[in-house]
Amino acid sequence: QVQLVESGGGSVQPGGSLRLSCMSSIVIYNFNSMGWYRQIPGRQRELVARITRFEEAIYADSVKGRFTISKDNNKDTVYLHMNNLKPDDTATYYCHANQVSDYWGQGTQVTVSS
């Protein structure tokens, strides 16, 4: 019954910016936390950023200072603001939510190249 739908991916040049959005089919304050993960082919899926229902945010060292996670409880949406994008940020980005179980979106592609 839980659906997470991502949007906002695309292709940008190094130094560019994107904003990813993840809309939940249920009210997001029911989740313990929500976050963004990314996966590069041949590598394990890795945490990018996570935010709890109490607004505590955690970031991977590789994106700290460049990415910002936020959420709008009225819109049941979590965002990932990505600034100063680098080629190493190229990946499929997945929205994640945790309640009793784990839920995943279908992913959105981000490509950073010149």
Side-chain angles (χ1 to χ4, degrees), residues 2 9 23-24 26-27 38 41 44 46 48 54 56 67 72 77 85 89 95-96 98 107 110:
V2 177
M23 178 174 287
S24 172
I26 67 171
V27 291
R38 66 187 182 188
Q44 294 182 348
E46 64 179 11
V48 177
F54 305 113
E56 181 182 17
F67 292 9
D72 187 333
T77 300
L85 284 161
D89 295 319
C95 182
H96 169 265
N98 170 263
V110 172

Side-chain angles (χ1 to χ4, degrees), residues 1-9 19-26 28 31 34-36 75-80 93-97 103-109:
Q1 292 182 334
V2 177
Q3 293 182 332
L4 304 174
V5 180
E6 304 105 327
S7 62
R19 186 185 73 168
L20 305 183
S21 299
C22 173
M23 178 174 287
S24 172
S25 63
I26 67 171
I28 63 175
F31 294 126
M34 299 187 70
W36 291 92
K75 296 182 178 180
D76 296 317
T77 300
V78 64
Y79 304 95
L80 185 67
Y93 285 71
Y94 296 90
C95 182
H96 169 265
Y103 304 97
W104 295 92
Q106 72 274 38
T108 185
Q109 180 67 34

Side-chain angles (χ1 to χ4, degrees), residues 13-111:
Q13 295 182 342
S17 299
L18 285 173
R19 186 185 73 168
L20 305 183
S21 299
C22 173
M23 178 174 287
S24 172
S25 63
I26 67 171
V27 291
I28 63 175
Y29 61 74
N30 287 137
F31 294 126
N32 293 324
S33 67
M34 299 187 70
W36 291 92
Y37 290 71
R38 66 187 182 188
Q39 187 166 25
I40 300 171
R43 301 184 62 180
Q44 294 182 348
R45 188 172 299 184
E46 64 179 11
L47 173 70
V48 177
R50 175 168 55 89
I51 187 167
T52 71
R53 58 184 168 186
F54 305 113
E55 309 294 336
E56 181 182 17
I58 301 293
Y59 297 92
D61 288 340
S62 59
V63 307
K64 193 173 300 181
R66 299 188 297 119
F67 292 9
T68 302
I69 189 169
S70 63
K71 58 187 176 75
D72 187 333
N73 292 329
N74 292 325
K75 296 182 178 180
D76 296 317
T77 300
V78 64
Y79 304 95
L80 185 67
H81 301 261
M82 304 184 294
N83 297 314
N84 192 23
L85 284 161
K86 303 176 180 180
D88 287 346
D89 295 319
T90 296
T92 302
Y93 285 71
Y94 296 90
C95 182
H96 169 265
N98 170 263
Q99 190 179 31
V100 176
S101 302
D102 292 324
Y103 304 97
W104 295 92
Q106 72 274 38
T108 185
Q109 180 67 34
V110 172
T111 301

